[in-house]
């Protein structure tokens, strides 16, 4: 708000005195006046960039997903500052922006060849951020090696996962974009669990099933819906093998 309150009077003041920030000063302008006009235009363009970036950040805060949208936020802010810098070069210093862009294009090709893996992670991160296959706090399982973890921070190069042993796992975006993984927290946080146990056949199977069902319904860590189930898988002289099926409210509670 403060940036907008400062930017609006500044714009009106410059236009009132005939200073148009997006026009080049006439060639016959005195040197001292040219310096003053250049300084005023630079201040205007810098404030314009600040107002736009502040609007982007405020919008993401209202969306209540500032961490998930960090990649998009950084990308938009970078484009805004790049546009402001090129505008200053064109309208303040009267430099040929086309030549500058062509020269920077050659440098970009050289840097692109030198940073292929990094750029691959960068664009893969942008693609993953748009498709949103996971978010902060989601548990994902990688199909290749079976490793799993909770997403704690997505960034430009590699998201950070916190596994069950409280160790940090870093997975490059380029590898994650091509790999198969399962999001255990989507479409909802609840997670189904199947547990197999063996019980000595000291009681009738129906009595053991009833006791196990009562245990599942009495556990506060287990979601009451859908109703937990107990099934007899096998029965012999040594043990009764049961399969307990239930649902927990979050994958992190499955181990408990």
């Amino acid at each position: 708000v403060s940036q907008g309150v400062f930017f609006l009077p500044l714009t009106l003041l410059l236009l009132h005195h005939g200073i148009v920030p997006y026009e080049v000063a006439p060639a016959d302008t005195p040197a001292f006046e040219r310096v003053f006009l250049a300084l005023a235009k630079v201040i205007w363009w810098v404030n314009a960039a600040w107002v736009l970036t502040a609007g982007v950040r405020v919008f993401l805060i209202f969306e209540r997903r500032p961490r998930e949208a960090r990649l998009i936020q950084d990308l938009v802010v970078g484009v805004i500052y790049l546009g402001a810098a090129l505008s200053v070069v064109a309208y303040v210093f009267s430099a040929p922006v086309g030549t500058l862009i062509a020269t920077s294009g050659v440098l970009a090709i050289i840097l692109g060849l030198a940073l292929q893996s990094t750029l691959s992670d960068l664009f893969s991160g942008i693609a993953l951020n748009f498709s949103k296959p996971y978010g902060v706090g989601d548990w994902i399982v990688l199909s290749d090696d079976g490793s799993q973890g909770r997403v704690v921070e997505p960034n430009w190069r590699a998201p950070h996962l916190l596994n069950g042993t409280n160790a940090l796992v870093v997975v490059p975006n380029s590898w994650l974009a091509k790999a198969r993984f399962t999001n255990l927290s989507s479409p909802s946080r609840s997670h189904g669990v199947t547990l197999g146990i063996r019980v000595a056949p000291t009681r009738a199977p129906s009595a053991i099933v009833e006791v196990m069902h009562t245990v599942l319904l009495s556990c506060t860590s287990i979601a009451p819906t859908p109703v937990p189930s107990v099934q007899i898988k096998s029965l012999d002289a040594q043990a009764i093998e049961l399969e307990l099926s239930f649902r927990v409210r979050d994958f992190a509670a499955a181990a408990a």
Side-chain angles (χ1 to χ4, degrees), residues 81 85 90 94 114 135 140 156-157 161 212:
Y81 280 124
S94 302
I140 61 175
W156 284 102
R157 199 189 72 82
L161 310 179
M212 290 293 101

Side-chain angles (χ1 to χ4, degrees), residues 151-240:
V151 180
V152 293
E153 181 185 359
N155 57 34
W156 284 102
R157 199 189 72 82
H160 294 174
L161 310 179
L162 196 65
N163 63 13
T165 60
N166 205 35
L168 193 66
V169 180
V170 179
V171 184
N173 281 323
S174 58
W175 184 87
L176 189 61
K178 295 181 291 185
R180 289 185 56 192
F181 63 88
T182 303
N183 189 341
L184 301 177
S185 302
S186 180
S188 64
R189 291 286 180 180
S190 62
H191 183 71
V193 180
T194 300
L195 180 65
I197 62 171
R198 291 171 60 84
V199 182
T202 57
R203 296 289 187 273
S206 59
I208 295 176
V209 169
E210 183 178 354
V211 169
M212 290 293 101
H213 195 260
T214 303
V215 169
L216 293 178
L217 292 176
S218 303
C219 182
T220 57
S221 300
I222 295 177
T225 54
V227 180
S229 63
V230 181
Q231 291 184 345
I232 298 177
K233 303 300 292 183
S234 64
L235 175 63
D236 54 36
Q238 285 75 34
I240 301 175

Side-chain angles (χ1 to χ4, degrees), residues 116-145:
Q116 289 185 19
S117 60
T118 303
L119 291 176
S120 177
D121 292 335
L122 168 63
F123 288 106
S124 298
I126 295 175
L128 288 172
N129 193 78
F130 273 113
S131 60
K132 298 186 184 302
Y134 58 82
V136 175
D138 288 354
W139 281 85
I140 61 175
V141 179
L142 306 179
S143 301
D144 289 352
D145 55 1

